[in-house]
Amino acid sequence: MFRTRIVVAIAAATLTAVTASHDATAGPGIQPVAAAVPRFDHIVMVMFENKNYSSINGSSSAPYFNSLATQGAKFSQSFAITHPSQPNYIAIFSGSTQGVTDDRCPINLGSKTNLASQLTGAGKTFKGYSEAMPSDGYTGCSSGTYRRKHNSWVDFSNVPASSNLRYSRFPSDYTQLPTVSFVTPDMCHDMHDCPIGTGDTWLKNHLDGYVQWAKTHNSLLIVTFDEDCGTPVNQIFTVFVGAHVKPGTYSKRIDHYTVLRTIEASYDLPGINNAANRSPIVDGWQ
């Protein structure tokens, strides 16, 4: 009996010490990182435009989107933050709309903390790839079918120009990808100005190679939308596919901040801004 009490006391003291150490590392007021999110070698996120969940889910116009849903984790209760486009792109990159309420350009947000600055601070890498952007490091508001309002990383002075790349620079050797990549198709391929089928075909032609590679190379693809077509509900189609993903449909309510928080958790990063108030996705992994 005496020996049992000693063992229990030692176990309790050890648990207390580990918890205190974790909390001290996380910092005051910061949500502890969930160990259940796999640590991926690479995460690629692709954002499409202005479609209701019901317009993509099960649609014959989006066979590849729905194929990804059967291969991965589909989130049937996924929501954008607001309308119009630009504040949603800023939200998923920095955990806040930063007070932006419209699509005006240019937006300059200075050195506020964002996913890229978090990753860099942790010794990881970030790059954004924008289709139809005329040159690497471009800061103009528009060119052809490129729009800066869909490129949130260019708004932050602490994200170097070398991280703001044309989509043509997306590597065919996926081992050369940065830790986290954001991909923005042009105004046609993101479905803003063209039909759903156009975006569906673009996604298959440009990212399916990465999807199949990711499954056996500890990597992940996230596909989501900035917002729905303007309704108050703002429900969007979101799917995760790649290594460690447990295929299925998940009904937990998530939003752009949840997606950001999940990416952060993969690299033991604290949640920033509103992402700190979200729990990372932990039930879609195997």
Side-chain angles (χ1 to χ4, degrees), residues 36-41 214-220 241-247 250 283-286:
V37 179
R39 180 172 292 240
F40 291 102
D41 291 338
K215 293 176 182 179
T216 56
H217 289 84
N218 192 38
S219 297
L220 179 70
V241 61
H244 311 297
V245 176
K246 183 166 60 178
Y250 297 86
D283 56 352
W285 314 115
Q286 59 185 3

Side-chain angles (χ1 to χ4, degrees), residues 175-194:
T175 65
Q176 300 304 305
L177 282 165
T179 310
V180 176
S181 307
F182 277 22
V183 172
T184 299
D186 70 18
M187 289 286 284
C188 176
H189 295 141
D190 67 7
M191 306 183 193
H192 187 285
D193 294 344
C194 293

Side-chain angles (χ1 to χ4, degrees), residues 1-7:
M1 184 68 162
F2 181 69
R3 179 178 296 176
T4 301
R5 288 177 179 173
I6 291 175
V7 171

